[in-house]
Amino acid sequence: MNLFVEFVVSALIVIGGVFLLVGSLGMIKLPELMARLHAPTKATTLGIGSALFASVVFFSVTGDFSIHEVLIVFFLFLTAPITAHFVAKAYMHQHRERVRELPPTGRDCGWATFDRPPGGHPDDEADPADERG
Protein backbone atom coordinates (compact mmCIF):
# COMPACT_ATOMS: atom_id res chain seq x y z
CA MET A 1 0.00 0.00 0.00
CA ASN A 2 1.10 3.51 -0.76
CA LEU A 3 2.69 5.44 2.12
CA PHE A 4 0.37 8.40 1.49
CA VAL A 5 -2.73 6.17 1.75
CA GLU A 6 -1.40 4.64 4.95
CA PHE A 7 -0.91 8.13 6.35
CA VAL A 8 -4.47 9.18 5.37
CA VAL A 9 -6.03 6.05 6.87
CA SER A 10 -3.97 6.46 10.06
CA ALA A 11 -4.89 10.13 10.34
CA LEU A 12 -8.60 9.35 9.89
CA ILE A 13 -8.45 6.68 12.60
CA VAL A 14 -6.64 9.00 15.01
CA ILE A 15 -9.06 11.87 14.28
CA GLY A 16 -11.97 9.49 14.78
CA GLY A 17 -10.51 8.32 18.07
CA VAL A 18 -10.09 11.89 19.29
CA PHE A 19 -13.70 12.73 18.42
CA LEU A 20 -14.91 9.56 20.16
CA LEU A 21 -12.87 10.43 23.25
CA VAL A 22 -14.25 13.98 23.33
CA GLY A 23 -17.80 12.67 22.85
CA SER A 24 -17.35 10.15 25.65
CA LEU A 25 -15.95 12.78 28.00
CA GLY A 26 -18.87 15.05 27.12
CA MET A 27 -21.31 12.32 28.06
CA ILE A 28 -19.60 12.01 31.45
CA LYS A 29 -18.84 15.64 32.27
CA LEU A 30 -21.72 17.73 30.92
CA PRO A 31 -24.32 18.54 33.58
CA GLU A 32 -27.74 17.92 32.03
CA LEU A 33 -29.37 16.06 29.18
CA MET A 34 -29.69 19.00 26.78
CA ALA A 35 -25.96 19.74 27.06
CA ARG A 36 -25.06 16.06 27.05
CA LEU A 37 -27.01 15.59 23.86
CA HIS A 38 -24.30 17.36 21.87
CA ALA A 39 -21.64 14.80 22.77
CA PRO A 40 -23.14 11.75 21.02
CA THR A 41 -24.77 13.65 18.19
CA LYS A 42 -21.79 15.67 17.09
CA ALA A 43 -18.47 14.43 18.43
CA THR A 44 -19.21 10.72 18.54
CA THR A 45 -20.94 10.73 15.16
CA LEU A 46 -17.96 12.46 13.59
CA GLY A 47 -15.63 9.98 15.31
CA ILE A 48 -17.47 6.94 14.04
CA GLY A 49 -17.85 8.55 10.62
CA SER A 50 -14.13 9.20 10.45
CA ALA A 51 -13.27 5.62 11.38
CA LEU A 52 -15.73 4.28 8.81
CA PHE A 53 -14.34 6.63 6.18
CA ALA A 54 -10.85 5.29 6.98
CA SER A 55 -12.23 1.80 6.35
CA VAL A 56 -13.68 2.94 3.02
CA VAL A 57 -10.34 4.40 1.96
CA PHE A 58 -8.41 1.32 3.08
CA PHE A 59 -10.62 -1.21 1.33
CA SER A 60 -10.92 0.96 -1.78
CA VAL A 61 -7.16 0.96 -2.19
CA THR A 62 -6.77 -2.75 -1.48
CA GLY A 63 -9.44 -3.58 -4.07
CA ASP A 64 -12.05 -4.94 -1.69
CA PHE A 65 -14.38 -1.95 -1.84
CA SER A 66 -17.74 -2.54 -0.28
CA ILE A 67 -20.71 -0.24 -0.21
CA HIS A 68 -21.52 -1.29 3.36
CA GLU A 69 -19.34 1.31 5.08
CA VAL A 70 -20.71 4.07 2.86
CA LEU A 71 -24.27 3.06 3.71
CA ILE A 72 -23.45 2.90 7.43
CA VAL A 73 -21.99 6.42 7.30
CA PHE A 74 -25.01 7.65 5.35
CA PHE A 75 -27.54 6.22 7.80
CA LEU A 76 -25.48 7.32 10.79
CA PHE A 77 -25.41 10.93 9.62
CA LEU A 78 -29.09 10.68 8.71
CA THR A 79 -30.38 9.15 11.94
CA ALA A 80 -28.21 10.82 14.60
CA PRO A 81 -29.78 14.31 14.25
CA ILE A 82 -33.29 12.89 14.05
CA THR A 83 -32.75 10.84 17.18
CA ALA A 84 -31.30 13.86 18.99
CA HIS A 85 -34.30 15.94 17.92
CA PHE A 86 -36.75 13.45 19.38
CA VAL A 87 -34.76 13.05 22.60
CA ALA A 88 -34.67 16.86 23.02
CA LYS A 89 -38.38 17.12 22.26
CA ALA A 90 -39.21 14.43 24.84
CA TYR A 91 -37.04 16.26 27.37
CA MET A 92 -38.84 19.55 26.69
CA HIS A 93 -42.24 17.92 27.21
CA GLN A 94 -41.12 16.28 30.43
CA HIS A 95 -39.77 19.57 31.80
CA ARG A 96 -42.67 21.93 31.20
CA GLU A 97 -41.42 24.33 33.85
CA ARG A 98 -38.65 25.38 31.47
CA VAL A 99 -41.03 26.47 28.69
CA ARG A 100 -40.84 30.06 29.91
CA GLU A 101 -37.07 30.03 29.42
CA LEU A 102 -37.39 29.44 25.67
CA PRO A 103 -36.50 32.45 23.53
CA PRO A 104 -39.19 34.02 21.30
CA THR A 105 -39.33 32.62 17.80
CA GLY A 106 -39.96 35.99 16.11
CA ARG A 107 -42.87 34.56 14.13
CA ASP A 108 -46.63 34.47 14.55
CA CYS A 109 -46.39 30.94 15.84
CA GLY A 110 -44.34 29.97 18.88
CA TRP A 111 -42.46 26.77 19.41
CA ALA A 112 -43.98 24.06 17.24
CA THR A 113 -43.85 21.45 19.92
CA PHE A 114 -45.97 23.56 22.30
CA ASP A 115 -48.12 25.94 20.25
CA ARG A 116 -50.80 25.41 17.65
CA PRO A 117 -49.78 26.28 14.11
CA PRO A 118 -51.25 29.47 12.62
CA GLY A 119 -54.44 28.65 10.82
CA GLY A 120 -54.83 25.47 12.81
CA HIS A 121 -58.21 23.89 13.24
CA PRO A 122 -60.39 26.03 15.58
CA ASP A 123 -61.46 22.97 17.52
CA ASP A 124 -57.88 22.23 18.43
CA GLU A 125 -57.37 22.94 22.07
CA ALA A 126 -54.23 24.37 23.48
CA ASP A 127 -52.07 22.00 25.41
CA PRO A 128 -53.59 21.96 28.92
CA ALA A 129 -50.18 21.49 30.47
CA ASP A 130 -48.91 24.67 28.82
CA GLU A 131 -49.74 27.61 31.06
CA ARG A 132 -49.27 30.08 28.20
CA GLY A 133 -52.60 28.86 26.79
Side-chain angles (χ1 to χ4, degrees):
M1 187 181 338
N2 186 345
L3 181 63
F4 178 73
V5 174
E6 288 181 6
F7 177 76
V8 169
V9 169
S10 300
L12 285 170
I13 290 172
V14 169
I15 290 169
V18 169
F19 273 112
L20 287 171
L21 179 66
V22 169
S24 300
L25 289 175
M27 288 287 290
I28 294 170
K29 291 290 184 182
L30 293 174
E32 65 172 350
L33 185 129
M34 293 300 271
R36 249 185 250 148
L37 200 56
H38 291 283
T41 58
K42 294 180 178 60
T44 307
T45 301
L46 286 175
I48 293 173
S50 180
L52 286 169
F53 191 63
S55 174
V56 168
V57 170
F58 177 79
F59 286 112
S60 296
V61 171
T62 59
D64 295 330
F65 177 75
S66 173
I67 194 73
H68 296 121
E69 289 96 353
V70 176
L71 289 174
I72 291 170
V73 169
F74 174 75
F75 286 114
L76 179 72
F77 283 104
L78 182 71
T79 58
I82 295 170
T83 305
H85 173 77
F86 282 114
V87 169
K89 192 172 180 177
Y91 177 83
M92 290 172 68
H93 280 273
Q94 281 190 337
H95 295 85
R96 295 274 184 169
E97 69 276 3
R98 297 189 69 183
V99 169
R100 295 179 193 274
E101 299 173 15
L102 295 174
T105 60
R107 294 179 289 176
D108 294 340
C109 182
W111 287 80
T113 191
F114 295 117
D115 297 334
R116 282 179 278 173
H121 195 273
D123 291 338
D124 290 345
E125 293 183 23
D127 189 350
D130 187 3
E131 296 175 1
R132 297 179 305 165

